[in-house]
Amino acid sequence: KETPCSTGQLKYYILNIKMYNNLNIDSNLTKHTNLPDLPACFQLSVLPWTPCIYLWLASPFYILYLKRNNRGYIMMSILNRIKTVLGLILWIVCWTDLFSSFHEMSQNQSKPPIYFITPLIVGMTMLLATFLIQYERLKGVQSSGVLFIFWTISVLCAIVPFRSKIVVLCFQNGVEDKLRFTTFYIYFGLTLIQLILSCFNEKPPLFSSVVTDPNACPEITAGFLSKMTFWWFTSMAIKGYKSPLENKDLWSLNKQDSSELVVPNLLNEWEVEKSKAQSPEEEKEEEEEEVLLSKRREVRQPSFLRALLRAFGPYFLIGSAFKLLQDLITFVNPQLLRLLIDFTKQPNAPLWWGYSLAFLMFGTSLLQTLILHQHFQYCFVTGMRLRSGIIGAIYRKALAITNEAKRSSTVGEVVNLMSVDAQRFMDLTTFLNMLWSAPLQIILALFFLWQNLGPSVLAGVALMVLLIPFNAFIAMKTRTYQVEQMKHKDDRIKLMNEILNGIKVLKLYAWEVSFKEKILQIRQKELTVLRKTAYLSALSTMAWTSAPFMVALTTFAVYVTVDEENVLDAEKAFVSLSLFNILRFPLNMLPQVISSIVQASVSLKRIQDFLSHDELNPESVDRRNNASEYAVSVVNGTFSWAKQDQATLDNINVMVPQGSLLAVVGHVGCGKTSLVSALLGEMEKQEGQISIRGSVAYVPQQAWIQNATLRDNILFGRPYVEQRYRCVLEACALTPDLEVLPGGDQTEIGEKGINLSGGQRQRVSLARALYSEADVYLLDDPLSAVDAHVAKHIFDKVIGPEGALKGKTRILVTHGISFLPQVDNILVMVDGRVSEMGSYQDLLKQNGAFAEFLRNYSLEDIIEDDEVTVSLVDEEEEEFPEDALSNHTDMVDNEPVVNEARRQFMRYTCIFNASRSASCFGFVTSAFTSTSHDDKFGSRQTMLLFFCDFMIYNVKFKVYWDYAKAVGPFLSLFICFLYGCQSAASIGANFWLSEWTNDAQHNRTQDQVSMRVGVYAALGISQGVLVMFSSFTLALGKIQAARKLHQTLLDNKFHTPQSFFDTTPIGRIINRFSKDIYVIDEVLPSTILMFLGTFFASLSTMIVIICSTPIFALVIGPLALIYFFVQRFYVATSRQLKRLESVSRSPIYSHFSETITGTSVIRAYGRNAAFVLMSDMKVDENQKSYYPGIVSNRWLGVRIELIGNCIVLFAALLAVIGKDKLSPGLVGLSVSYALQVTMSLNWMVRMTSDLESNIVAVERVKEYSETQTEAPWIVTDKQPPPDWPPKGNVEFADYSVRYREGLDLVLRNISLKVEGGEKIGIVGRTGAGKSSMTLCLFRLLEAADGEIVIDEVKISEIGLHDLRSKLTIIPQEPVLFSGTLRMNLDPFEKYSDEEVWKALELSHLKRFVSNQTSKLDLECSEGGENLRYKQEQLVCLARALLRKTRILVLDEATAAVDLETDDLIQSTIRTQFEDCTVFTIAHRLNTIMDYTRVLVLDKGQIAEFDTPTNLMAQKGIFYGMAKDAGLA
């Protein structure tokens, strides 16, 4: 019985009929038989010709490509010889056939022409293949894709005749044409061998990077198959699984991805663009009038986009070609599904149909997988190159832009161009192809759907289109909420940052509660916004999940109700469902792509503007070595900072003879620094000329220090010469400093020189100039930052007439009058002009501007010198203070902020030394010795602190349980239950659909239509509702968890003892509050949502397939095992690659911001190229870990999709085997489910990986929520009476204390009694334990032994707040918080306005505050930046006056406060705190000479304790100190 066969299956045969009309294809022979066969003519023509046509079409392009990309020459190997010989044998075999045909012709046996044509064509093709084998060897191709595909097609096409010849043999007993029979099998065998051989690789070409590079990327040498399946990555996956990956395990970057090729390529295209933009104007200049010209000038701007397209377009287009191929193949599977369902309907169709359909499905899926991942690979690599190119272009530009351009964009903005904007481009390349691919997919899907269901498709499509604005609306709303939330988050982090920076003050004043409330208020706002966002996303999840279902429902319902003839059978229903599933992706992606493009266009504009800025003119300073006696000359120079600004320097004429020392003096702001900048070519030259003979060294006013070792900072790229280096250190007075630094000259200096004092930085900067051995030295006030005696040393040893630089030309900007008599010439600047110039004596005689300058400055100098001698003599010899916790060090410096940072730095170094033995470090040292640049604090040791954060996590089950507890255990179970229900509803709906489609076979359609539609709708809608419910409950759970985790972390941090903050970098604590809390708020919940979604989707697929074909359960085991392994390998490796990538990313940006601040220095020394190279290396270092990261995703994708494709194969095969028992509806159901599974499997692995990376945040927050806490704030049964302490008696009884367990005692057995109202001065050398005494009173340090008793109350028994609120301290470093002045004085609002004003009046601030418009509500900015330092100190005094407790502690500031303020504070304390007990830690002894008693500490013990007069008489330690201070 014949069934009409569909057109698709007959296409080959039709073609055959057209070719040979005489050959009648009998469909009974080919199709409706259990032994099918193709006609002989077809086997002789079409089959052998197919591979030949392919090779002849491909080879011209391939040869052209090889001609252009020559990779070197490969030596002839055994493999190559065998391939060549086999190729020649194949040619001989084919032509044997040809000659035998000629022979038969001569024997008068006529043969059809095909017997001549086919062997001729095939023989020629074999020669071509042999030629290609050799040509590839000469061009260095190790494995050929073109030939691999050719051999594969040849073998596949030869399988049909291979089988049919054997079948014929069995029927005919014997062979007619023995020769052709033999040659065919020889031919088949040889092509098979060629195919196997082409899977192997040749050796790498001679002299290629593979040979030279010890760690080359295996991709270069990988074979064609290995490249298609990313097999070459497996070694990395295994390595990452076995042990944590380190930097040295990463492969080198491929040459064509490296900055040295990518950046110049992009810059060349950009230059072409710029020159194009300028050229049209020049041509037209004569013809057109000015007006038109200026219009043209505005219109034409160089387009950076064109440059990008020309640089990266061609490579990207290869990826686009793959995408096009993949889009077309996507639509093959639904057609095959139709044929499969059709096949199950025919009871007596031969089984081989079904098998071939199943394998075809598998084949197309496999092809689709390979092609898709090739496309992604091309896109991601393009993105990666784009980023390298953009970063490189911006970096090179930043080194050359003018000061005017610099003003228009801050450092932060430019760093953003690099990080954010370059990243946006990188992200865009991955979906850029969707711009054309999405519409194409939509059109194709609609075309096939229309064929299937006719016009009723439009109903479903209309619904899809309606969902787009709905989703867009949700996206817009979400974005506004996100902006709002970011604002709250920034506020919270800013406040948190201040709190952590001032935590010591909060503890001393017992103000924690008030600030905790403030944080929680902001957090509450944040969570409210978060809740709104969560509800919106629940809606959008519902829309996204139920969309495909709603679409199917409307389409099917319309289809069956429009016309009674329309019957919904399995074929129509399931083919349409699989098409709708294809449609869902492009529809969802389009809006995303468009918004992404909009963002990228903004970025493009910003980058283009930056790259179009003016550059400094390198010709503005004439550097030629012309033989004149003047080393530096400026003639009629007029300079400004920007082209349109008025001139900063006017009519400057300077001649500096060779080898002379010129001092430039003048008042602040008269243009001294501008003059130096003009000489460096940093300013816009409006007229005049400058020439400098020879090389230049430059010392800027603000020393610029790199984040590198001290030695590297001094060498600055010059070779190391021991002798010269030592002399430089000696001359710059750096030798004593090296003894103090933990690593000598190998100490890593933190960013901006954070671990050096101001004076040390300036000396390093000077040493760099001295070491460079230049011809001309420009020194911009290098002596102001160092102390007087050091300045003298440097002048004598370096700059002066007898210094190391004698004989060199030196231009010195200075304020130091004492050196002026020793210089050759003095140049006096007044308001940007040269007022006078001459020697010291000449200028004094003229009695002009110079003499006046001397009169002004000499007074100040005398005052400074006095102060300097008091406290500064030992600066160089000072060891690091042992009590590094206390806020002082006697290294005086006029920058308290830097001081603070420096102290923290020392603190870390001390801690490191204390805990070097801790076990954590043993591991870390081995793992991370190779990295040295990623930290904000220098010194390689401190690196370890940072890397402790990176303890390689293998996430424990406990962490998941912690999170579940935070969500609420019942809620967690309920969420999973809801997900289960929703999957059940979805499965139910689809089973119902398959029942419904089976009605068609039994002709009971019409009566039940409404019932079928109704139940289907009910099941589907209930699924949507359940989705929404589960999203809502998840949202509730996530808010609860976020609140709980943040709350516990915050509580713990406020209760943590001070020692924790002293040993933990603030950045690390802030990280917990910002990054980790953000992950818990937003990233983790969405990951969990996706994970649950994909998990249940995969699960329901398995359930459906097992229900329809139970035997499938056997296959699941092995597949699940493979899946599990791939997933473990991937998760382990990808997580570490991510970590390495993020570690290597920040050096790019920190190096960049460092460069921007030091451009003038870099340019002055001519180090541009070296810095560009450094930046490129950092970018390449980062891409080195980013690239395997991309590939790991491709590697995973191919493997997981292969598992998915196997599921498709088995589902189809089992359906074919059991087709008698299965209804077409069930076959459709199980196969269409299987077709979807790859997507969910793939995402499930990604989500598992993300979940593991993100859940770490919970662990990190947990870790810091469980640190040890200090004593309770209030002990209810031990609360002291409200008026305690009534007298203010303080007694130390045999008191000892240490900073932390395991450290030495800081105070030993201190015993003393102080009566109420006494004034006690505490003195002693640095590290004697002065500050420790005050910290003990406040119990910031807990006693190791002994007691402190205040008015009969043992302070160790009462609550901390009860104690601290009754004591007052005026700390050394004033700490202000951002907020109103009122809040800074009285955060709990305990006092009335009158009391506050009274305190302000007594602290001499009343006038200042009442002059402000906002009075007490004056806003203090972060760290009190809008107040002068003196006013901050007075605010602290006002705080003390408000509290007015019986006991006052003064931690006295030296360097910080001028004498006048100091007197104000002292007099206020004498009058206002007359009856209080006062402890003063004194540096200026004159302030305590009238105190009741003085306590002298030495090495933590009481050395002397008596009245000042008695102590002076004893001639002990105190007398010695007083003598040093000039008081005795």
Side-chain angles (χ1 to χ4, degrees), residues 103-338:
H103 176 71
E104 284 164 357
M105 208 169 102
S106 64
Q107 303 290 319
N108 290 335
Q109 293 175 344
S110 71
K111 283 278 182 191
I114 196 84
Y115 282 98
F116 297 96
I117 298 170
T118 300
L120 179 69
I121 291 178
V122 177
M124 297 290 281
T125 311
M126 289 307 163
L127 276 182
L128 175 64
T130 314
F131 163 72
L132 280 179
I133 292 172
Q134 281 307 317
Y135 191 64
E136 282 175 344
R137 178 179 72 79
L138 296 177
K139 295 292 178 190
V141 176
Q142 290 175 262
S143 166
S144 163
V146 173
L147 285 176
F148 177 82
I149 296 173
F150 168 70
W151 296 122
T152 312
I153 301 177
S154 301
V155 170
L156 289 178
C157 290
I159 287 175
V160 179
F162 182 90
R163 175 180 164 276
S164 65
K165 280 187 167 34
I166 293 175
V167 171
V168 168
L169 185 69
C170 298
F171 278 106
Q172 287 186 351
N173 309 326
V175 185
E176 289 177 10
D177 192 345
K178 287 199 177 59
L179 176 74
R180 283 201 178 76
F181 188 82
T182 322
T183 53
F184 173 75
Y185 282 103
I186 293 174
Y187 165 83
F188 183 80
L190 292 178
T191 43
L192 193 60
I193 295 171
Q194 282 278 35
L195 175 62
I196 295 165
L197 288 181
S198 64
C199 296
F200 293 103
N201 265 4
E202 289 288 352
K203 290 200 298 264
L206 294 176
F207 318 117
S208 70
S209 63
V210 186
V211 186
T212 50
D213 187 351
N215 205 4
C217 180
E219 182 187 13
I220 311 171
T221 57
F224 174 71
L225 272 181
S226 170
K227 274 187 183 152
M228 290 304 283
T229 56
F230 297 94
W231 182 260
W232 55 270
F233 180 77
T234 310
S235 63
M236 172 88 76
I238 293 171
K239 194 183 274 180
Y241 178 70
K242 281 186 184 159
S243 64
L245 289 176
E246 297 170 36
N247 236 357
K248 63 170 194 299
D249 299 325
L250 297 174
W251 299 311
S252 310
L253 202 60
N254 294 341
K255 191 83 173 145
Q256 59 273 29
D257 299 333
S258 66
S259 299
E260 67 172 303
L261 287 186
V262 173
V263 184
N265 182 13
L266 175 62
L267 286 177
N268 292 343
E269 297 297 352
W270 175 235
E271 286 306 319
V272 170
E273 261 308 304
K274 284 203 294 198
S275 54
K276 267 191 195 163
Q278 286 152 10
S279 55
E281 298 159 15
E282 289 154 20
E283 296 161 16
K284 306 256 178 181
E285 203 133 356
E286 296 88 26
E287 311 158 23
E288 297 195 15
E289 290 168 20
E290 291 286 314
V291 190
L292 291 174
L293 192 76
S294 59
K295 273 187 195 161
R296 284 187 62 85
R297 205 163 269 158
E298 282 163 26
V299 173
R300 179 67 207 241
Q301 262 213 328
S303 148
F304 187 57
L305 182 65
R306 279 203 204 102
L308 286 176
L309 288 176
R310 279 210 298 274
F312 305 111
Y315 186 81
F316 185 69
L317 281 176
I318 304 177
S320 308
F322 276 119
K323 179 72 179 146
L324 179 66
L325 213 57
Q326 192 254 342
D327 283 351
L328 298 176
I329 297 178
T330 311
F331 289 97
V332 176
N333 267 336
Q335 304 309 317
L336 291 174
L337 176 64
R338 169 189 288 137

Side-chain angles (χ1 to χ4, degrees), residues 1258-1399:
V1258 175
E1259 186 173 28
R1260 289 162 51 118
V1261 167
K1262 257 329 218 200
E1263 173 199 355
Y1264 271 31
S1265 309
E1266 289 161 2
T1267 50
Q1268 178 197 355
T1269 53
E1270 56 188 359
W1273 285 344
I1274 292 171
V1275 181
T1276 29
D1277 51 344
K1278 292 272 188 181
Q1279 272 190 294
D1283 60 343
W1284 177 85
K1287 302 196 191 72
N1289 299 342
V1290 179
E1291 183 185 349
F1292 282 75
D1294 205 13
Y1295 189 86
S1296 306
V1297 73
R1298 57 169 56 95
Y1299 276 124
R1300 279 186 309 287
E1301 282 302 310
L1303 294 184
D1304 293 341
L1305 291 172
V1306 200
L1307 294 177
R1308 288 191 199 82
N1309 317 343
I1310 299 267
S1311 296
L1312 62 118
K1313 273 190 173 162
V1314 176
E1315 296 300 318
E1318 277 199 274
K1319 310 283 180 280
I1320 304 291
I1322 305 176
V1323 295
R1325 296 272 176 206
T1326 303
K1330 304 185 297 282
S1331 292
S1332 315
M1333 269 194 83
T1334 57
L1335 297 177
C1336 298
L1337 275 175
F1338 287 88
R1339 282 178 64 196
L1340 280 188
L1341 297 178
E1342 295 286 4
D1345 210 6
E1347 281 290 355
I1348 297 178
V1349 182
I1350 298 179
D1351 284 351
E1352 282 80 55
V1353 175
K1354 290 183 174 176
I1355 66 167
S1356 56
E1357 293 176 355
I1358 58 176
L1360 291 179
H1361 276 187
D1362 287 335
L1363 168 67
R1364 290 170 184 171
S1365 58
K1366 305 290 186 186
L1367 306 174
T1368 305
I1369 184 167
I1370 301 181
Q1372 180 189 14
E1373 294 280 343
V1375 176
L1376 296 188
F1377 300 96
S1378 54
T1380 61
L1381 182 64
R1382 164 95 215 213
M1383 190 278 312
N1384 266 301
L1385 294 170
D1386 171 27
F1388 291 103
E1389 306 199 344
K1390 276 192 210 160
Y1391 305 99
S1392 67
D1393 278 6
E1394 287 74 52
E1395 291 172 288
V1396 176
W1397 277 111
K1398 182 88 177 71

Side-chain angles (χ1 to χ4, degrees), residues 1482-1502:
H1483 297 265
R1484 292 186 178 138
L1485 296 186
N1486 53 0
T1487 55
I1488 57 161
M1489 292 310 268
D1490 58 346
Y1491 272 31
T1492 329
R1493 288 191 282 172
V1494 173
L1495 170 68
V1496 181
L1497 287 175
D1498 189 35
K1499 298 187 177 138
Q1501 287 166 316
I1502 299 179

